[in-house]
Amino acid sequence: MLHGALALVGAWYTARKSITIICDFYSLIRLHFIPRLVSRADLIKQYGRWAVVSGATDGIGKAYAEELASRGLSIVLISQNEEKLHKLSKTLAQTYKVETEIIVADFSNGRGIYLLIREALQDKDIGILVNNVGVFYPYPQYFTQVSEDKLWDIIDVNIAAASLMVHIVLPGMVSRKKGAIVNISSGSCCKPTPQMTAYSASKAYLDHFSRALQYEYASKGIFVQSLIPFSVATHMKGHSFLHGFSWLVPSPKVYAHHAIATLGISKRTTGYWFHSIQFLFAQYMPEWLWAWGANIINNSVRHEALSHRL
């Protein structure tokens, strides 16, 4: 009798896990491959004419701005580098025949910059907000080795910037009953990540912030997406030993091209097909195993970075 009950429980557990895995892989195919077989969504009609991208002059932010411009959206570019902003603004306007505006802002300067941003955006119908701006450690470090200035930058840029930018543009979206917010988190938010403690925690904040916003505002016509990339070939992440595998570590351009296709479809996604496979493994992985693997990888990255400084 006991053996029969245990066998039944085992069969139920196996069937449940199998169905979950099958559903997860079906979702991966539906999200990353099926949309490429149909025509692209009209983002202007769906959300509005203007998009705002923070951290827009490098990496994912720049590539995302280019993708949005290629779809006809007018772009407000925000970054602290005025020269790069002017250059990108001119390129987008000439290449895609769209309107562009720039806002020079250093999000690490704290609360004072948001009055300037609010005034610059107040007369625009913002349809899409992409919160991309972020700071990373110079290399993986134990928490007490991270400078106090860097910790404040992580708080001001990775946490406060997205929160305040949403607070600025969301009321207009609600009044128009449409809009999209993309908060770019990180694969390190999946589980506690040693040697990236403050950074991964800040990205976990963005993930939870996005998911809660979606519950609050979906009924008002607002789509909020938590975008969770793993390694992308940007200057922010130093996993140089992975950069030889372009399918594993895509360029910002390739990543943005894939990620923007998930807008309006998935509320929480990595944005890229292979990253979604990594995310699935992370979801099923015990926390201790994640932490063990992260320590090994981050030790390697730290040693490599320090050796280059000698």
Coordinates of all heavy atoms in Angstrom, one line a residue, residues 23 50 68 110 129 137 154 187 206 301 308:
C23 N 6.0 23.2 -21.2 CA 5.3 24.5 -21.3 C 6.3 25.7 -21.4 O 6.2 26.6 -22.2 CB 4.4 24.8 -20.1 SG 2.9 23.8 -20.1
W50 N 6.3 59.1 -29.4 CA 7.6 59.4 -28.8 C 8.1 58.3 -27.9 O 7.3 57.7 -27.1 CB 7.6 60.7 -28.0 CG 7.6 61.9 -28.8 CD1 6.6 62.6 -29.3 CD2 8.8 62.6 -29.3 NE1 7.0 63.7 -30.1 CE2 8.4 63.7 -30.0 CE3 10.2 62.4 -29.1 CZ2 9.3 64.6 -30.6 CZ3 11.1 63.3 -29.6 CH2 10.6 64.4 -30.4
L68 N 14.0 51.3 -32.2 CA 12.8 52.1 -32.1 C 12.7 53.1 -33.3 O 11.7 53.3 -33.9 CB 12.7 52.8 -30.8 CG 12.5 51.9 -29.6 CD1 12.6 52.7 -28.3 CD2 11.1 51.3 -29.6
G110 N 21.8 62.5 -8.4 CA 20.7 62.5 -7.4 C 19.4 63.2 -7.9 O 19.2 63.4 -9.1
L129 N 8.9 54.1 -22.7 CA 10.0 54.5 -21.8 C 10.9 53.3 -21.7 O 10.4 52.2 -21.3 CB 9.5 55.0 -20.5 CG 10.6 55.1 -19.4 CD1 11.6 56.3 -19.7 CD2 10.0 55.4 -18.0
Y137 N 30.0 47.2 -11.2 CA 31.3 47.2 -10.6 C 32.3 47.3 -11.7 O 32.1 46.8 -12.8 CB 31.5 45.9 -9.8 CG 30.6 45.7 -8.6 CD1 30.8 44.5 -7.9 CD2 29.7 46.6 -8.2 CE1 30.0 44.2 -6.8 CE2 28.9 46.3 -7.1 CZ 29.0 45.1 -6.4 OH 28.2 44.8 -5.4
I154 N 25.1 53.0 -7.5 CA 24.2 51.9 -7.8 C 22.8 52.2 -7.3 O 21.8 51.9 -8.0 CB 24.8 50.6 -7.1 CG1 26.0 50.1 -7.9 CG2 23.7 49.5 -7.0 CD1 26.7 48.9 -7.2
G187 N 20.4 39.2 -15.7 CA 20.3 37.8 -15.3 C 20.7 37.6 -13.9 O 20.3 36.6 -13.2
L206 N 14.6 46.2 -9.8 CA 14.0 46.5 -11.0 C 13.0 45.5 -11.5 O 11.9 45.8 -12.0 CB 15.0 46.8 -12.1 CG 15.8 48.1 -12.0 CD1 16.8 48.1 -13.2 CD2 14.9 49.3 -12.1
V301 N 36.8 36.2 -13.4 CA 36.7 37.6 -14.1 C 37.5 38.6 -13.3 O 38.2 39.4 -13.8 CB 35.3 38.0 -14.2 CG1 35.2 39.4 -14.7 CG2 34.5 37.1 -15.1
H308 N 45.2 42.5 -15.7 CA 45.4 43.5 -16.7 C 45.8 44.9 -16.1 O 46.3 45.7 -16.9 CB 44.1 43.7 -17.5 CG 43.8 42.5 -18.4 ND1 42.5 42.2 -18.9 CD2 44.6 41.5 -18.8 CE1 42.6 41.1 -19.6 NE2 43.8 40.7 -19.6

